């Protein structure tokens, strides 16, 4: 029997909550109201594969650069007490999709946010060769201008022959992005280490009208000469983008600042 997919929500002072895809699983005008991401006319986002916190200084990197972001998208985030304490001390909500259970703490994508999501959809896809799973998380947050921001945090499958499973993981995400009327940020570790994977990824992004964030000094982690980590967006404007060089993980964090300016009347993004 396949393992159920769910998200774990961590909020300071509250019991850990388990969220299944059936809860708020349908986007539409009936989403509940919620408090907006603070100061989200300027939206700061950090994206980082944190390598299960196996290296020294990961916490100092988060404390230095993550605390000023309204959203932090982590991959390979292991729910250790130190990470949960950081998340619940600096953010209103932290949602994690366990990809697989390690001896003590589950690991998977985790989205830290300065507001509570009004929508949460956890996703998992099993690696066809190793039989381990990779996870993704779709969340939605109100912005101060009244629009709803969709955030996709993904750790893409790595070891597969061809791109069938790779594309299969992207398909349900594409459906949700296509049905969303507001701005979108999709980011994470895409494991796009082959020409086939790059073509599949950029074909996907083109189909749902996402643009790629470009980094003037590109220090992203690469494999076979291709970057693994990406940020894609829609309905926003990039004002700055940088890659932070660090030894605190085997990936370098991506830092981006968006201008969340509303489109002119009559134009829907």
């Amino acid at each position: 029997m396949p393992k159920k997919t769910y998200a774990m929500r961590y909020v300071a002072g509250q019991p850990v909550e388990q969220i299944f895809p059936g809860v708020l699983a349908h986007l539409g005008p009936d989403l509940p109201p919620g408090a907006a991401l603070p100061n989200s006319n300027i939206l700061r986002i950090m994206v980082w594969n944190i390598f299960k916190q196996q290296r020294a200084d990961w916490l100092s990197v988060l404390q230095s650069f993550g605390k000023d972001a309204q959203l932090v998208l982590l991959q390979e985030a292991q729910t250790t007490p130190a990470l949960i304490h950081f998340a619940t001390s600096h953010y209103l909500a932290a949602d994690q999709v366990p990809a697989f259970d390690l001896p003590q703490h589950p690991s998977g994508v985790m989205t830290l946010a300065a507001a509570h999501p009004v929508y949460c959809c956890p996703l998992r896809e099993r690696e066809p060769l190793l039989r381990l799973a990779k996870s993704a998380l779709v969340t939605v947050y109100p912005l101060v201008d009244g629009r709803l921001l969709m955030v996709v945090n993904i750790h893409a499958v790595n070891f597969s022959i061809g791109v069938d499973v790779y594309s299969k993981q992207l398909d349900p995400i594409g459906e949700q992005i296509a049905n969303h009327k507001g701005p979108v940020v999709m980011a994470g570790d895409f494991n796009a280490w082959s020409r086939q994977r790059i073509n599949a990824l950029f074909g996907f992004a083109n189909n749902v009208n996402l643009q790629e964030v470009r980094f003037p000094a590109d220090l992203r982690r690469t494999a076979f000469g291709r970057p693994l980590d990406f940020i894609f967006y829609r309905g926003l404007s990039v004002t700055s983008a940088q890659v932070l060089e660090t030894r605190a993980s085997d990936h370098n964090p991506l830092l981006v600042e968006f201008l969340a300016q509303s489109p002119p009347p009559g134009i829907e993004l």
Side-chain angles (χ1 to χ4, degrees):
M1 179 180 293
K3 183 178 179 181
K4 285 188 176 181
T5 300
Y6 58 88
M8 301 297 293
R9 177 164 299 163
Y10 299 87
V11 176
Q14 296 185 18
V16 179
E17 183 182 1
Q18 200 172 46
I19 299 172
F20 291 92
V23 179
L24 299 180
H26 301 286
L27 283 168
D30 298 327
L31 285 177
L37 285 167
N39 306 313
S40 55
N41 52 321
I42 300 294
L43 189 62
R44 297 179 179 88
I45 299 177
M46 179 178 185
V47 180
W48 191 21
N49 183 323
I50 201 170
F51 196 47
K52 305 181 184 71
Q53 300 103 275
Q54 292 184 46
R55 293 188 181 174
D57 297 331
W58 65 266
L59 184 56
S60 64
V61 172
L62 278 182
Q63 289 171 335
S64 297
F65 297 94
K67 62 181 177 60
D68 294 327
Q70 293 102 320
L71 292 160
V72 175
L73 281 60
L74 301 175
Q75 301 83 47
E76 293 191 23
Q78 199 175 165
T79 51
T80 59
L83 179 56
I84 298 304
H85 180 265
F86 171 83
T88 55
S89 298
H90 293 86
Y91 294 89
L92 285 185
D95 292 283
Q96 190 222 29
V97 184
F100 57 91
D101 293 332
L102 295 170
Q104 287 184 302
H105 309 288
S107 172
V109 299
M110 177 184 282
T111 300
L112 285 52
H116 292 280
V118 296
Y119 173 86
C120 179
C121 182
L123 298 164
R124 292 170 75 248
E125 187 64 48
R126 190 171 294 279
E127 296 267 13
L129 299 180
L130 297 184
R131 308 308 296 165
L132 299 174
K134 291 290 193 294
S135 59
L137 176 64
V138 181
T139 46
V140 173
Y141 307 90
L143 298 176
V144 292
D145 63 13
R147 292 184 296 167
L148 293 173
L149 171 71
M150 173 176 282
V151 177
V152 181
N153 184 356
I154 182 170
H155 191 190
V157 293
N158 194 7
F159 302 105
S160 64
I161 299 171
V163 293
D164 288 349
V165 177
Y166 191 78
S167 298
K168 180 185 173 187
Q169 186 182 18
L170 293 172
D171 285 344
I173 295 170
E175 292 175 11
Q176 298 201 46
I177 293 175
N179 290 324
H180 182 64
K181 301 300 182 183
V184 175
V185 172
M186 177 177 178
D189 177 358
F190 288 87
N191 278 315
W193 42 259
S194 71
R195 183 179 298 276
Q196 276 186 306
R197 284 170 173 249
I198 285 284
N199 290 342
L201 176 58
F202 278 86
F204 168 88
N206 184 63
N207 286 339
V208 290
N209 299 312
L210 297 181
Q211 300 179 67
E212 178 194 4
V213 172
R214 300 298 183 110
F215 300 93
D218 196 345
L219 300 172
R220 289 177 292 175
R221 162 78 187 278
T222 61
F224 304 108
R226 297 178 176 88
L228 301 178
D229 306 300
F230 292 86
I231 301 175
F232 297 94
Y233 68 98
R234 184 184 80 190
L236 303 164
S237 300
V238 178
T239 56
S240 68
Q242 64 174 310
V243 182
L244 175 68
E245 197 167 16
T246 178
R247 294 183 178 179
S249 170
D250 62 345
H251 288 246
N252 287 330
L254 314 182
L255 306 173
V256 64
E257 184 178 284
F258 291 107
L259 178 65
Q261 189 172 5
S262 298
I267 298 178
E268 201 173 55
L269 292 174

